[in-house]
């Protein structure tokens, strides 16, 4: 998880000069790391990924925090989990 956040913070300026990740960005990174966690094959990992996906999208739109990083990371998190 720490390595994902470090890459996110340094990734080609996608954080638009922000010094920290938003709550929605953090939820996206957690979802992207679900396959690497112990117990990833549990019956709850799929529903958890869906809930996190819905939560980060709603949170970003509600807070007006939709960003190029969030858009990029959301797609990456979907690919990481569902493949």
């Amino acid at each position: 998880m720490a390595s994902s956040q470090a890459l996110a913070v340094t990734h080609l300026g996608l954080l638009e000069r922000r010094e920290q990740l938003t709550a929605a960005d953090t939820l996206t990174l957690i979802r992207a790391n679900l396959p690497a966690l112990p117990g990833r094959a549990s019956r709850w990992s799929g529903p958890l990924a869906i809930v996190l996906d819905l939560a980060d999208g709603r949170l970003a739109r509600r807070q007006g925090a939709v960003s190029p990083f969030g858009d990029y990371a959301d797609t990456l998190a979907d690919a990481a989990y569902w493949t």
Side-chain angles (χ1 to χ4, degrees):
M1 175 83 163
S3 62
S4 292
Q5 288 186 345
L7 287 171
V9 170
T10 60
H11 194 297
L12 300 175
L14 285 174
L15 290 177
E16 307 152 349
R17 299 184 194 118
R18 289 186 287 171
E19 294 182 11
Q20 58 183 324
L21 298 173
T22 65
D25 294 338
T26 302
L27 289 176
T28 299
L29 291 173
I30 290 170
R31 182 167 43 94
N33 284 285
L34 282 176
L37 296 176
R40 64 186 172 270
S42 77
R43 65 181 186 173
W44 296 108
S45 64
L48 179 59
I50 292 168
V51 167
L52 288 173
D53 192 17
L54 293 172
D56 73 30
R58 285 187 182 185
L59 188 60
R61 286 187 296 277
R62 183 175 294 152
Q63 294 179 343
V66 176
S67 67
F69 171 77
D71 185 39
Y72 176 83
D74 190 61
T75 304
L76 183 64
D78 287 340
Y81 186 79
W82 297 111
T83 56

